[in-house]
Amino acid sequence: MGAADRIQVDHTTDYARQVHSGEVLAGPWVRLAAKRHLDDLEQGAARGLVWYPTRAQHAIEFIQCRRHYQGTSAGKRFALSPFQRFVVGSLFGWYAAAEQRRFRVAYVEIAKGNGKTPLAAAI
């Protein structure tokens, strides 16, 4: 990573560590995703994986600059919750060979009213 890729905040890794330590209560699939993230930080380079926290943060900040366009939140900026930051950061921060994003498809299953549609629209 170059100087441009050094940042102070890494919401994705912070959330993964909190889930892994048990500080954040999560289901088995989220725990596995958090473990995969942490394992890949340590061992992913051997498989050609690169973590760009600045790219993850850029995507998170971009989405949080967007505004809701309808409903009771119309006009208000997106405020991503920690798990949403983890999803966005994972999608836009991990890269594989040839500067290609590692994850190009995501399956997000959360309860009604937790922002699936606005998150999908923002992504």
Side-chain angles (χ1 to χ4, degrees):
M1 285 190 285
D5 290 313
R6 291 189 198 117
I7 61 168
Q8 306 251 343
V9 177
D10 183 353
H11 292 294
T12 309
T13 302
D14 290 345
Y15 183 78
R17 286 185 180 129
Q18 291 171 346
V19 167
H20 188 66
S21 72
E23 184 180 337
V24 170
L25 187 61
W29 299 115
V30 175
R31 288 194 308 268
L32 286 171
K35 183 176 180 341
R36 179 191 60 217
H37 179 83
L38 296 174
D39 289 347
D40 288 345
L41 285 174
E42 291 181 17
Q43 304 157 2
R47 296 187 352 252
L49 301 176
V50 181
W51 170 243
Y52 292 110
T54 53
R55 294 179 186 183
Q57 188 61 24
H58 178 78
I60 290 167
E61 289 174 3
F62 176 80
I63 290 173
Q64 292 187 140
C65 286
R66 306 298 99 199
R67 294 181 186 275
H68 291 272
Y69 67 93
Q70 66 182 9
T72 58
S73 297
K76 296 179 183 172
R77 291 188 187 274
F78 279 94
L80 296 178
S81 64
F83 83 86
Q84 290 173 321
R85 289 180 188 157
F86 178 74
V87 169
V88 172
S90 294
L91 288 174
F92 291 96
W94 279 108
Y95 282 74
E99 286 294 306
Q100 206 171 40
R101 282 198 351 246
R102 177 183 182 188
F103 302 113
R104 301 187 55 93
V105 175
Y107 176 78
V108 179
E109 182 178 336
I110 52 179
K112 180 180 177 181
N114 281 297
K116 287 184 298 288
T117 301
L119 178 62
I123 289 173

